Amino acid sequence: MRYAIIIMFLFTSCILPKESSEMKEWLPSDSLNVEIGSPTLIKKAGDLLFVNYSFTDGCNIDAVDIANDSILYSFATKGQGADEFLQIASMDVYRLDDKWFLSLFDNMKREYMVYSVDSLNHYKGKCPPIKRMKLPAISRYLEIYKLQDFYIATGRTAHKYTILGSDSLQRINVCTDYQRGNEVDKDSMTVSKANYGRQYPSATGDKMLSVVYMSGTLAQYQTVADSVRKVWEYTSSGFEYTKENNSIYQQSPMGYMAAGFMGDSVVGLYFGEKKGSAFNYGREFHLLNQEGLLLERYRIFSNLYNFCIDSENNLIYGIAYNPDPKILIYDMNIVERKQ
């Protein structure tokens, strides 16, 4: 199964012992019966869910019609040619002038492509991207996302974030230090590997959440001019690792697997156990406020790998592996009525 100018600031760090927060239960309210591959990425744009690792021959991405519980079309052809992809490292959706756009970053070809969701829907995926940008071969980015008037990248770099210009993805700034655990004297490349995780921008691009898989830390950032600053950081478990040769060995529990904004709240998907196998999944939803204070913890009884949020309807669409891949739906409205 398949599965990347420093600003001074003040932020709130919340550490809450597990025994002091009551664990509640949250069961899925529904599921989509559409057959999917083994996706690791999921994004919602309008009435569609976009997931990677398509079953369709020669395609990377499926567009899932939520209302009709079916795959509407597949696109992003596999290959080395123009408008084709070898490995999609990050997928993003954002809105401009009430229109949805979807971007894909191929970290092997070093290419970033943007699609109009309206055009994808009209041509059933058989349309070229509206924007193609090539990055230097020496770039080591694993993710690229749009944040208002610039792009932000992360990967095997000396600083956590690289700010890229909106026209040609030229580097215009670097910001934010990596999280460091017990191995504080390690070089930046080792630290960047230990900080591997994923970023989750808001639909408007004015803020972003960050998770590090090896650390139980969830952080929120805010865009500021041509940079970002940390607003708050919540810590549920530690961050410890050792290095032997070129390999990193985790000592702390697996932390947050994914995160997202739901209205005025933040939802984090948490594992919280020692790494014991090749794959680890989220077992809890943590609900926090915009100041980084933990409000609720929910046991979800499903092996979730990633999720996206429908803030308008307070729904979570999660990629579950239990035992086969499927999309589960969690309804926050039901949970609130049960409390």
Side-chain angles (χ1 to χ4, degrees):
M1 188 175 289
R2 297 162 292 182
Y3 302 81
I5 309 169
I6 301 173
I7 296 181
M8 300 300 295
F9 55 83
L10 297 175
F11 64 91
T12 302
S13 179
C14 306
I15 304 178
L16 189 64
K18 292 183 179 179
E19 61 270 19
S20 69
S21 180
E22 178 187 358
M23 181 76 75
K24 300 182 179 181
E25 297 180 358
W26 190 356
L27 297 176
S29 59
D30 201 354
S31 66
L32 298 182
N33 295 318
V34 63
E35 186 177 18
I36 56 176
S38 301
T40 58
L41 304 176
I42 182 169
K43 296 288 183 178
K44 184 178 184 295
D47 297 324
L48 296 179
L49 293 174
F50 291 96
V51 296
N52 63 338
Y53 290 136
S54 172
F55 273 146
T56 303
D57 288 341
C59 292
N60 279 287
I61 306 295
D62 287 332
V64 179
D65 184 341
I66 297 172
N68 295 305
D69 203 355
S70 63
I71 294 177
L72 187 62
Y73 54 83
S74 301
F75 69 106
T77 306
K78 300 173 184 176
Q80 301 186 51
D83 303 341
E84 294 181 342
F85 297 86
L86 289 175
Q87 179 174 286
I88 295 174
S90 68
M91 177 170 63
D92 188 23
V93 296
Y94 57 89
R95 299 186 73 173
L96 288 175
D97 300 324
D98 293 326
K99 294 184 182 297
W100 285 103
F101 297 88
L102 179 141
S103 66
L104 302 173
F105 174 56
D106 187 323
N107 68 310
M108 294 185 68
K109 294 180 64 178
R110 321 309 301 163
E111 290 184 348
Y112 178 86
M113 301 189 195
V114 180
Y115 293 85
S116 161
V117 174
D118 284 344
S119 295
L120 286 171
N121 294 345
H122 180 77
Y123 294 104
K124 297 297 186 286
K126 299 185 183 301
C127 63
I130 61 172
K131 181 183 292 187
R132 305 176 187 83
M133 289 187 279
K134 185 79 173 178
L135 285 96
I138 61 172
S139 61
R140 304 295 294 164
Y141 308 132
L142 295 175
E143 302 172 273
I144 297 179
Y145 301 100
K146 182 172 177 55
L147 290 184
Q148 294 193 328
D149 295 331
F150 58 83
Y151 295 89
I152 193 164
T154 186
R156 300 291 179 257
T157 52
H159 290 83
K160 184 176 177 68
Y161 295 124
T162 302
I163 307 302
L164 305 174
S166 59
D167 294 328
S168 59
L169 295 184
Q170 77 281 8
R171 191 179 78 167
I172 59 176
N173 194 7
V174 293
C175 58
T176 307
D177 290 329
Y178 286 110
Q179 183 181 357
R180 290 180 178 266
N182 57 319
E183 299 292 302
V184 294
D185 59 339
K186 295 298 182 181
D187 61 277
S188 60
M189 291 302 101
T190 298
V191 175
S192 72
K193 292 179 181 179
N195 274 261
Y196 178 67
R198 196 161 290 279
Q199 321 311 307
Y200 293 87
S202 64
T204 54
D206 61 328
K207 52 190 176 182
M208 178 181 69
L209 297 169
S210 174
V211 302
V212 174
Y213 298 145
M214 288 174 54
S215 168
T217 300
L218 174 60
Q220 179 173 325
Y221 293 81
Q222 179 179 337
T223 58
V224 179
D226 59 354
S227 186
V228 296
R229 70 175 180 88
K230 187 182 292 184
V231 180
W232 55 260
E233 180 179 277
Y234 172 79
T235 301
S236 183
S237 59
F239 181 45
E240 297 181 4
Y241 62 91
T242 58
K243 180 186 178 184
E244 295 182 18
N245 299 320
N246 292 321
S247 299
I248 294 175
Y249 298 93
Q250 182 177 349
Q251 305 299 313
S252 57
M254 290 292 290
Y256 288 96
M257 307 299 296
F261 295 97
M262 178 177 282
D264 294 329
S265 301
V266 167
V267 179
L269 177 62
Y270 186 67
F271 181 67
E273 297 180 14
K274 291 283 188 179
K275 185 176 178 66
S277 65
F279 310 117
N280 293 275
Y281 307 99
R283 306 283 177 81
E284 302 174 15
F285 277 138
H286 289 183
L287 187 68
L288 301 91
N289 65 14
Q290 286 289 319
E291 285 71 48
L293 177 65
L294 180 65
L295 303 176
E296 301 287 354
R297 299 170 64 214
Y298 298 97
R299 183 179 290 110
I300 56 179
F301 300 101
S302 299
N303 294 327
L304 295 188
Y305 185 79
N306 202 345
F307 69 87
C308 65
I309 291 177
D310 176 357
S311 291
E312 185 176 345
N313 297 300
N314 285 344
L315 299 176
I316 294 174
Y317 294 90
I319 300 171
Y321 294 88
N322 191 19
D324 298 320
K326 65 166 57 174
I327 298 175
L328 298 180
I329 304 173
Y330 293 83
D331 190 338
M332 175 60 75
N333 303 295
I334 295 177
V335 173
E336 290 179 341
R337 285 198 296 267
K338 285 184 176 180
Q339 292 179 8

